Amino acid sequence: EICECIDDPHRLLNNVLIPGTPLAFPTHESYCDFLNACADTLGIHPRNLLMRGSTKLGFSVSPDPDSIWVAMRPDSDLDFAIIDPDYYHYLDREIRMYERNPANRAFRGPQFKKSVSRRGQRAFYTCRYFDLPDIPCVADHNERLKALPVEACCGLPRPIDAFVFR
């Protein structure tokens, strides 16, 4: 299906990559159960979630030469995007308050690289999970992700990584 649509990017995105059941889920019902659990746990609409990468396709599309085209493994993580303006702005506000406090040393030492990366990603209204600081709202976000019924819905325990977009 992907190969058939490769020359028509709009059809590829809108008819193949976005809708449908991600390959990480054995059934459409288990996928819907996961979306509903996310909605209840994170306080967002279930359709404000989008599965990405090998979670969706069954293989990696990472630009990293060592990862590209690698099939999803039993220990692979679930990658998804949370696309919700309220959720994004809440995280962004808390992170900005953290960064404004000089006592947190967000722009010096080990946090410097993450802070610079966050500033760049703000231009795209994006919070990348690996750039998030260790602050209470992020800890709460991570705890909520860990509480999701991944094993019940996917059949395997998997870690979760979520990007947050406005």
Side-chain angles (χ1 to χ4, degrees), residues 94-114:
E94 295 296 313
I95 292 168
R96 284 175 187 257
M97 289 176 63
Y98 159 80
E99 290 174 345
R100 286 180 54 90
N101 183 345
N104 291 326
R105 303 176 58 85
F107 291 99
R108 285 182 258 142
Q111 289 298 317
F112 176 72
K113 187 175 180 183
K114 286 183 176 185

Side-chain angles (χ1 to χ4, degrees), residues 53-114:
S54 64
T55 300
K56 177 69 178 179
L57 302 172
F59 58 87
S60 174
V61 289
S62 168
D64 179 2
D66 295 330
S67 299
I68 192 142
W69 313 127
V70 173
M72 185 174 205
R73 302 175 313 273
D75 64 336
S76 293
D77 60 352
L78 289 183
D79 276 331
F80 68 96
I82 299 167
I83 304 108
D84 187 271
D86 294 330
Y87 200 85
Y88 169 82
H89 285 296
Y90 165 69
L91 279 178
D92 186 56
R93 183 190 72 231
E94 295 296 313
I95 292 168
R96 284 175 187 257
M97 289 176 63
Y98 159 80
E99 290 174 345
R100 286 180 54 90
N101 183 345
N104 291 326
R105 303 176 58 85
F107 291 99
R108 285 182 258 142
Q111 289 298 317
F112 176 72
K113 187 175 180 183
K114 286 183 176 185

Side-chain angles (χ1 to χ4, degrees), residues 11-25:
R11 184 171 167 228
L12 178 63
L13 287 171
N14 297 325
N15 297 355
V16 178
L17 295 179
I18 292 177
T21 304
L23 288 174
F25 297 89

